Structure formats: structure tokens, C-alpha cells
Amino acid sequence: MPGMTPDAAHDTITDMIRFGTIQSVDGQRAVVLCGEVVSPPLPWLAIVGAWLVWLPPSQGAQVTVICPDGDIAGGIILNGIYSDAFASPVTSLLSALLKAPDDATFVYDAAAHALTFTLPASGTVKIIAPGGFEFEGDTKVTGKFEATGDATFGAKISATGEITSNDDVKVGDISLKNHKHGGVQAGAVKTGLPE
């Protein structure tokens, strides 16, 4: 750099790229320990604009700090670098994984063509889709299934267990609860069809 001694220029270049560990996170800024230097609260690089992604750094994570002109006060955090504290959760080049602090995971395995969501014991999923929600493909539910709205089926329904209803069941216009039989006689004579 013009006007600088080689040692000063080296120090400035070294100070422009620093490696450190997140000490604390508050709002949209984090404090980084770079060697013996503690940064002021700094912003981290993020995806912003019409599309927004919120993935804050975590305390103890190893990061890189880019410091224009070597001044850490104007630094920007690049999050993050795998370390002993935060090791890579997978090593496959064909897997993508997102893991939350409560160990909830989103994993796609391209080799198996399999997408897996795993939540902790009390985890829940809620999808709000006022325009509707559509599945295409075979669907299996392990556990209870509850619907609070009307359900319409355009195909056969098979059941291996008991089917109960607190209200009526109708086949066409014939009520299971209130239908009547004609031709009722004592003895072995069969009744007429339900009406």
C-alpha cells in the first residue's frame, strides 16, 4: 500500500480478515472475540430484500469478520466455520440439512430421494393455506387423524377397524339411523329393502 512500510501494510491486510468466536448475540448484531480483540456489536451477512432469511449466529460459533481498512468497528460477520463446538452434522455430499437448537431437523437425501422432518417430542407443525392444500401421492398417517370440516372422498374407503358416528350415516337418500323396512312379518320371512 502506498506510503506504508511492508510491516504496516502486512498488519493492515491481516486486520482486514479476522477469525473469531461469537461471544454474544443481541437483536441483529453480535460481538466477536478475535484473538485478544473484542469487537463492538457487528452485523452479519444475511439474505435481505423481497426474500428474507433469518438465521442468526450462535454463541460459541466460529466466524470470519471482514474489516474494511482493517477497522473492526466497521466489520461484517460471515457466519460460520465448522469447529469442535459446532461440528458438521453430516458428511454426505448428497444431503442437505437444517438443524434447530432444539434438535429439530430438516433433511433431504438426494441419494435416497427422501425428505425427512424430525421434531422433538412436543413438536407441532402448522400450515396456514387459505387457498387450499394439496397432496399428490400415497399418504400414510401413523397416529390419530382429526378433521373439523367436511370431508369428500372420490374413491373407495376401506377400514380394518370399527367405524362409529355420533350422527347419521346416509347411503344415497337412505338414512342408517332412521330408515324403515317394508314387509315386516313374524317368523323367518325377510324384510324388504331399507327405505
Side-chain angles (χ1 to χ4, degrees):
M1 296 181 180
M4 285 189 178
T5 65
D7 288 343
H10 177 270
D11 290 343
T12 299
I13 293 173
T14 301
D15 288 343
M16 291 176 67
I17 302 176
R18 305 176 187 234
F19 296 98
T21 303
I22 298 290
Q23 297 298 290
S24 62
V25 182
D26 184 12
Q28 300 179 44
R29 294 179 179 267
V31 174
V32 184
L33 175 63
C34 300
E36 297 180 354
V37 178
V38 179
S39 77
L42 301 175
W44 58 84
L45 193 66
I47 298 175
V48 297
W51 290 83
L52 295 172
V53 176
W54 174 253
L55 289 173
S58 299
Q59 185 176 0
Q62 189 172 339
V63 297
T64 304
V65 181
I66 304 299
C67 306
D69 298 324
D71 183 8
I72 197 170
I76 299 173
I77 300 169
L78 303 183
N79 185 36
I81 302 171
Y82 288 125
S83 63
D84 291 340
F86 292 95
S88 171
V90 293
T91 57
S92 170
L93 300 181
L94 294 177
S95 292
L97 178 145
L98 180 64
K99 183 178 179 181
D102 64 352
D103 288 332
T105 57
F106 166 101
V107 181
Y108 181 70
D109 184 343
H113 312 297
L115 177 64
T116 304
F117 290 93
T118 304
L119 301 180
S122 59
T124 61
V125 176
K126 184 175 184 179
I127 298 175
I128 300 175
F133 191 75
E134 181 176 337
F135 282 104
E136 182 173 338
D138 294 341
T139 304
K140 179 180 179 180
V141 177
T142 301
K144 294 181 178 180
F145 179 84
E146 179 180 345
T148 57
D150 294 341
T152 302
F153 297 90
K156 293 180 179 179
I157 299 176
S158 298
T160 57
E162 185 179 86
I163 298 177
T164 61
S165 173
N166 293 328
D167 206 331
D168 200 1
V169 176
K170 291 185 177 181
V171 179
D173 292 329
I174 299 176
S175 165
L176 179 63
K177 187 176 181 180
N178 300 310
H179 73 271
K180 298 178 180 179
H181 290 267
V184 178
Q185 298 179 24
V189 179
K190 295 183 179 179
T191 65
L193 295 176
E195 299 174 355

